Amino acid sequence: MYNLTADAQYLPPIEGTFTEWFPGGSVPYTPKGLAFRLQWGSLRYSSNMAAAALLAANMGVHPEEYRHWAMCQIHYALGDAGHSFVVGFGDNPPVAPHHRSSSCPWSPALCNLNIVHIDTPNVHTLYGALVGGPGSGDDYKDSRGNYVNNEVANDYNAGFQTAVAGLLHLLVNNEHPEQTGDATCPFK
């Protein structure tokens, strides 16, 4: 509503949400700086909120602060934590995401549930897919059977890809935090 009306009555809910998500709010952080809402698919929450922060910043709501925070959350997923959580991208990316079609062998071999229990990299690389993410201590096991942290899903990737596109838009327009001097992560 704030985007449509610019009515100040709609601003407090936006700011209140990010007050809870930023350091010092009710959402805890991992030691390396990920806003950690819940265990299962932890990066889904931070990536979706990063996208929301970029949308709010685009409306003029604390643009420098919200863009900086969003960038740090996405940089965590891309590898600032020590390894990438994006299949086929960055340093030490996931190679065994919990994803049936990328783990099944080539035809005519059969694919069944037993493939989940084989501890090898997936046969097919699911380029660009964000896996669920770490535990609250930045712990992560790249194992096909680890569906809590290593599955891929549309709701994980929708917010992530939106936020990446938003950061690219800022980069192209010379408004990215790394171009404006607000690039230190983790966000404090």
Side-chain angles (χ1 to χ4, degrees), residues 1-170:
M1 290 301 293
Y2 182 76
N3 189 35
L4 297 173
T5 66
D7 188 333
Q9 73 173 327
Y10 300 113
L11 191 55
I14 297 169
E15 293 173 321
T17 296
F18 288 103
T19 297
E20 295 303 316
W21 274 85
F22 281 18
S26 64
V27 175
Y29 277 71
T30 69
K32 293 183 180 178
L34 179 69
F36 189 84
R37 174 74 175 83
L38 290 171
Q39 174 72 26
W40 196 313
S42 59
L43 285 169
R44 122 183 60 186
Y45 303 106
S46 61
S47 293
N48 278 287
M49 289 307 295
L54 291 171
L55 292 170
N58 194 46
M59 294 185 294
V61 181
H62 308 288
E64 293 81 18
E65 182 181 18
Y66 285 20
R67 288 171 179 161
H68 182 189
W69 182 82
M71 179 199 71
C72 290
Q73 294 304 298
I74 297 304
H75 278 201
Y76 182 102
L78 292 173
D80 279 6
H83 62 85
S84 172
F85 291 95
V86 180
V87 177
F89 178 85
D91 293 329
N92 193 23
V95 295
H98 185 81
H99 183 268
R100 183 176 288 187
S101 64
S102 69
S103 58
C104 286
W106 289 98
S107 290
L110 296 177
C111 182
N112 58 41
L113 290 177
N114 292 331
I115 198 77
V116 170
H117 305 293
I118 300 171
D119 194 22
T120 60
N122 288 9
V123 176
H124 310 284
T125 303
L126 193 61
Y127 288 103
L130 179 73
V131 298
S136 62
D138 296 305
D139 51 300
Y140 170 73
K141 182 177 180 186
D142 183 13
S143 170
R144 194 174 304 113
N146 180 12
Y147 51 86
V148 171
N149 303 104
N150 216 35
E151 76 175 349
V152 297
N154 291 339
D155 61 321
Y156 299 4
N157 284 274
F160 174 72
Q161 298 298 338
T162 300
V164 169
L167 291 171
L168 177 60
H169 173 79
L170 294 175

